[in-house]
Amino acid sequence: TLKFPDAGVYWYHPHMRDDYALELGLYGNFLVTPTSPTYWNAVNREIAIFLDDILMKDGKIAPFYKNRTDRAMMGRFGNIMFTNGETDYTLSVKKGEVIRFYFTNSASARPFNISIARIKMKLVGGDSGAYEREEWKDAVMVSPSERAIVEAFFDTAGEYEIQNKTPDKTYSLGKIIVSEEPAASANTGLFQTLHNNKEVIKSIDPFRSFFMNVVDKRIKLSIYMMGSGMSMGTPVAGIEWDDTDNAQMNSVSDTEMVAWKIIDQDTDKKNMDIDWKFKVGDKVKIRIVNDDSSAHPMQHPIHFHGQRFLVVNQNGIPQTNLVWKDTVNVPAGEYVDIILDASNPGTWMAHCHILEHIEAGMMFSFKVE
């Protein structure tokens, strides 16, 4: 029996040999609708979309090791991209429709920077519901496990490409074909206005007094690579969009030579030796630092099971438009401060959501009592 206290889009998957179980498609979505009829804007349709990729070799899925995980350094970047499991995804839309898209990144390692060519997108939500304030966006980045909720208005017939726009290349993820047939009802006025979400603002208000607190917990993200005594250099803006520049080294790396680490900076405990304990109701300020002096600096999407949190500071910049989250991407050489709402009792996991990094040890457990 599952309980869903928070509106938003969630997903489920196994945590046994994540590297091949998820790569081969063992996952699905939960779309949790709010109890309030005014929580979201009125739209014509809601569409849930998984973004993924897969690594093919000689016309077949690239093989996996039975007793260890390959591509442990950067993760298994695919050479074919999927939108809802299809390489030629097509969505048919009527002229005048406003559609709310729920995007989930289920890729092993690849971040996606989502755009719809020639269409203005409105970012309205993230992992666990709505943002405090809606924003116009040309593109929205989602790292593995993150979700983004955007609305789009299609007022002109034609064909529009769904894209992954990276600094080096734009990839096609599918197309949206808008017909001349008019939608039954248009929501143009609502779409053209940026709204504040009073319910979300109210839910965050009790946490604001903790934003400037001293940090309660500090963790550092790093790596040990056998035979490596120097850093490979930090990627531009701390993000590896692909493994192209290091494909050969990545392909021969495995969990026998690579160990990814989450390090508690106050105790020096690492990964599963970390033993945090919280009480139900605790508001815990956690600083997550991504070490850019490690052997291979890259981004890490850090996910906390069973709880929600607010990202209140990104590399020294206070965040002014908040959303409840369960995954945060931390670029190499940067840090984030989160306020963890320890509200759900039990023993839980926190880990990087690059699947090969999980298999290489990048996880720890914590208790909420």
Side-chain angles (χ1 to χ4, degrees):
T1 300
L2 303 179
K3 180 182 180 181
F4 295 100
D6 302 307
V9 59
Y10 304 87
W11 65 306
Y12 59 93
H13 49 263
H15 270 305
M16 177 65 72
R17 279 302 298 266
D18 306 65
D19 59 314
Y20 71 75
L22 273 72
E23 177 77 344
L24 299 182
L26 199 54
Y27 54 76
N29 266 142
F30 293 115
L31 179 57
V32 182
T33 57
T35 54
S36 169
T38 59
Y39 186 90
W40 296 121
N41 300 319
V43 295
N44 297 90
R45 278 193 288 165
E46 296 179 304
I47 304 291
I49 291 181
F50 271 110
L51 301 172
D52 206 345
D53 64 4
I54 195 164
L55 183 63
M56 303 293 291
K57 186 176 182 179
D58 300 327
K60 298 180 180 179
I61 296 171
F64 300 87
Y65 292 123
K66 182 177 180 179
N67 298 316
R68 65 188 191 277
T69 296
D70 67 339
R71 293 171 171 82
M73 185 177 77
M74 299 176 67
R76 182 176 279 228
F77 282 87
N79 51 18
I80 292 178
M81 297 188 193
F82 286 141
T83 301
N84 274 359
E86 301 177 12
T87 56
D88 57 351
Y89 178 81
T90 301
L91 177 67
S92 297
V93 172
K94 294 179 181 179
K95 181 178 172 181
E97 276 196 282
V98 177
I99 295 180
R100 183 158 50 245
F101 293 95
Y102 297 85
F103 289 104
T104 302
N105 184 346
S106 55
S108 298
R110 182 183 300 278
F112 288 88
N113 195 37
I114 313 159
S115 178
I116 303 175
R118 311 191 317 279
I119 293 292
K120 181 169 62 173
M121 298 191 306
K122 182 194 285 189
L123 178 64
V124 298
D127 298 349
S128 299
Y131 276 88
E132 292 182 287
R133 289 174 293 281
E134 299 171 349
E135 295 182 359
W136 299 118
K137 294 288 185 179
D138 294 322
V140 177
M141 179 179 169
V142 283
S143 292
S145 183
E146 283 190 305
R147 284 85 70 202
I149 306 171
V150 301
E151 294 173 359
F153 174 48
F154 299 93
D155 62 345
T156 304
E159 185 174 306
Y160 301 86
E161 190 175 58
I162 306 171
Q163 299 174 332
N164 176 25
K165 299 185 73 171
T166 77
D168 297 324
K169 187 175 180 180
T170 296
Y171 301 86
S172 176
L173 299 175
K175 58 187 177 183
I176 298 169
I177 299 176
V178 182
S179 70
E180 291 285 0
E181 182 182 356
S185 62
N187 297 288
T188 311
L190 276 176
F191 180 79
Q192 298 297 351
T193 304
L194 294 176
H195 303 92
N196 294 340
N197 193 305
K198 295 179 181 179
E199 292 180 47
V200 174
I201 293 171
K202 184 178 179 180
S203 76
I204 293 173
D205 281 345
F207 294 80
R208 298 188 197 278
S209 61
F210 296 89
F211 289 5
M212 300 305 293
N213 280 11
V214 296
V215 173
D216 298 302
K217 299 287 186 181
R218 301 181 302 142
I219 55 177
K220 182 172 70 173
L221 314 177
S222 193
I223 187 176
Y224 167 78
M225 284 179 31
M226 187 182 299
S228 178
M230 59 180 292
S231 173
M232 296 175 63
T234 305
V236 177
I239 304 293
E240 296 275 16
W241 293 96
D242 209 323
D243 67 347
T244 305
D245 293 338
N246 298 290
Q248 180 60 31
M249 184 176 291
N250 190 36
S251 68
V252 298
S253 66
D254 60 36
T255 46
E256 292 184 354
M257 63 176 287
V258 172
W260 281 101
K261 297 180 180 181
I262 299 176
I263 304 167
D264 184 331
Q265 292 185 277
D266 297 311
T267 65
D268 204 37
K269 292 182 178 181
K270 302 172 181 64
N271 295 342
M272 291 303 292
D273 289 333
I274 297 172
D275 54 353
W276 290 355
K277 293 182 177 65
F278 307 123
K279 297 292 186 183
V280 170
D282 284 351
K283 281 77 172 171
V284 188
K285 188 172 185 179
I286 303 170
R287 175 163 293 180
I288 308 171
V289 179
N290 192 341
D291 182 12
D292 62 351
S293 64
S294 69
H296 185 74
M298 66 177 292
Q299 74 278 5
H300 295 284
I302 301 299
H303 173 65
F304 282 80
H305 283 210
Q307 322 298 319
R308 62 182 185 172
F309 60 77
L310 299 166
V311 180
V312 298
N313 187 307
Q314 289 187 287
N315 213 38
I317 302 173
Q319 300 301 287
T320 57
N321 187 16
L322 305 180
V323 62
W324 287 109
K325 292 182 64 61
D326 57 40
T327 306
V328 59
N329 186 58
V330 188
E334 298 190 9
Y335 73 88
V336 300
D337 289 343
I338 68 172
I339 303 293
L340 183 75
D341 178 17
S343 58
N344 197 355
T347 300
W348 303 97
M349 295 296 298
H351 59 83
C352 174
H353 221 288
I354 292 176
L355 305 181
E356 290 71 24
H357 293 182
I358 301 174
E359 294 297 327
M362 204 172 193
M363 56 186 173
F364 69 94
S365 68
F366 63 96
K367 290 183 180 179
V368 179
E369 299 172 332

